[in-house]
Amino acid sequence: METSPHVLIVDDDREIRDLLSRFLSANGCRVSVARDEREMRKSLAESAIDLIVLDVMLPGKDGFTACRELRASSNVPIIMLTAAGEDTDRIVGLELGADDYMQKPFNPRELLARMRALLRRAASTLRRPDEQNGKHLHFSGWTLDVGRRQLLSPEGTMVTLSTGEFDLLLAFLEHPQRILTRDQLLDLARGRSPVPFDRSIDVQVSRLRRKIEADPRSPKIIATVRGDGYMLASPVDRA
């Protein structure tokens, strides 16, 4: 990457903090660490953080609470660390606004690859201002300002999107009225290959529907194509 990203590791396990600090520092990252939500807040107040690796099991406020509260005021990319086999943890984390997750124990190289994918997408509009600035995508009365990464409702209200939600919506808008499988969406929105039984796209679609659909239980904009995937049913105008 062009500059060294500043990554915040939030985990009460000192061995994991030390391991990730050494590994990520050796791979071009600036690293800060926090043992709990309070130390995380202190680091965020003192430094510009580009990505957070957030453990679910924290003393005091758990990772879910920390993620939910962060999402109320920030779209910083978040990768959650979950216990082995805890599918519920992964689903809840995504529902609360996490952009990705890793299951413990994990391969640090895979974590680094996922971090880089998130950071590339978060910074892509800054790297290509001539292509993205001023680009607006209009659908069903909504407007996505790609350069500013802002979503405006038909009433003109700004709706906050996490990095994962923005990437997923952009994938739909760049392929309107076309059926996209879950594997295609995972590749388009996250830049990684699917793994068996990965239902994270379903969670992100559900979360996105709650923000843009009049009735998320009867969606009109993002349609489910049973057995195949999803489709943006609305036409898209580009300006």
Side-chain angles (χ1 to χ4, degrees):
M1 282 169 278
E2 294 175 5
T3 59
S4 298
H6 192 171
V7 179
L8 176 61
I9 308 298
V10 187
D11 198 306
D12 65 333
D13 188 320
R14 186 176 65 182
E15 289 187 9
I16 290 179
R17 293 198 308 271
D18 291 347
L19 168 68
L20 289 180
S21 293
R22 291 193 301 270
F23 178 78
L24 295 177
S25 296
N27 282 276
C29 298
R30 291 180 294 141
V31 181
S32 295
V33 298
R35 293 174 296 180
D36 54 26
E37 186 268 347
R38 287 190 302 174
E39 290 189 1
M40 179 191 76
R41 290 288 182 184
K42 185 174 184 292
S43 293
L44 288 169
E46 293 175 347
S47 305
I49 300 297
D50 297 303
L51 183 143
I52 299 173
V53 178
L54 177 62
D55 187 32
V56 168
M57 299 299 293
L58 294 175
K61 286 187 179 179
D62 62 26
F64 293 140
T65 303
C67 181
R68 184 181 66 246
E69 293 180 353
L70 270 175
R71 274 294 168 257
S73 59
S74 172
N75 63 356
V76 61
I78 298 172
I79 298 179
M80 297 203 78
L81 301 180
T82 69
E86 292 295 332
D87 291 336
T88 301
D89 282 358
R90 295 196 291 273
I91 292 170
V92 171
L94 292 167
E95 286 278 7
L96 293 174
D99 298 290
D100 206 349
Y101 59 82
M102 290 288 294
Q103 179 177 292
K104 292 182 177 180
F106 56 87
N107 185 325
R109 293 188 180 278
E110 182 180 356
L111 174 63
L112 179 63
R114 295 195 184 191
M115 287 170 48
R116 284 175 168 165
L118 270 175
L119 289 165
R120 279 196 301 270
R121 295 199 303 276
S124 62
T125 56
L126 297 177
R127 292 204 193 100
R128 300 195 305 273
D130 292 339
E131 295 178 25
Q132 303 290 9
N133 285 349
K135 180 178 176 182
H136 295 78
L137 302 177
H138 306 278
F139 65 101
S140 298
W142 292 80
T143 299
L144 184 69
D145 183 332
V146 180
R148 293 188 173 90
R149 302 176 73 89
Q150 293 176 348
L151 179 63
L152 297 178
S153 73
E155 296 76 29
T157 303
M158 189 181 301
V159 176
T160 302
L161 296 175
S162 69
T163 299
E165 291 163 353
F166 174 86
D167 292 334
L168 181 60
L169 179 58
L170 187 59
F172 278 120
L173 295 177
E174 290 180 339
H175 303 83
Q177 299 177 309
R178 170 181 163 186
I179 297 172
L180 296 172
T181 66
R182 292 173 176 84
D183 290 355
Q184 287 173 321
L185 286 168
L186 192 61
D187 180 53
L188 289 167
R190 295 197 180 176
R192 65 176 173 86
S193 300
V195 295
F197 310 113
D198 188 339
R199 309 299 286 185
S200 59
I201 286 296
D202 298 316
V203 177
Q204 290 280 41
V205 168
S206 175
R207 186 175 169 82
L208 188 56
R209 279 172 168 166
R210 291 200 295 271
K211 294 190 173 183
I212 67 174
E213 298 278 4
D215 182 0
R217 294 170 297 180
S218 181
K220 305 298 183 185
I221 300 174
I222 300 176
T224 299
V225 182
R226 193 172 300 279
D228 290 319
Y230 298 98
M231 180 179 70
L232 184 80
S234 169
V236 176
D237 294 324
R238 301 169 182 268

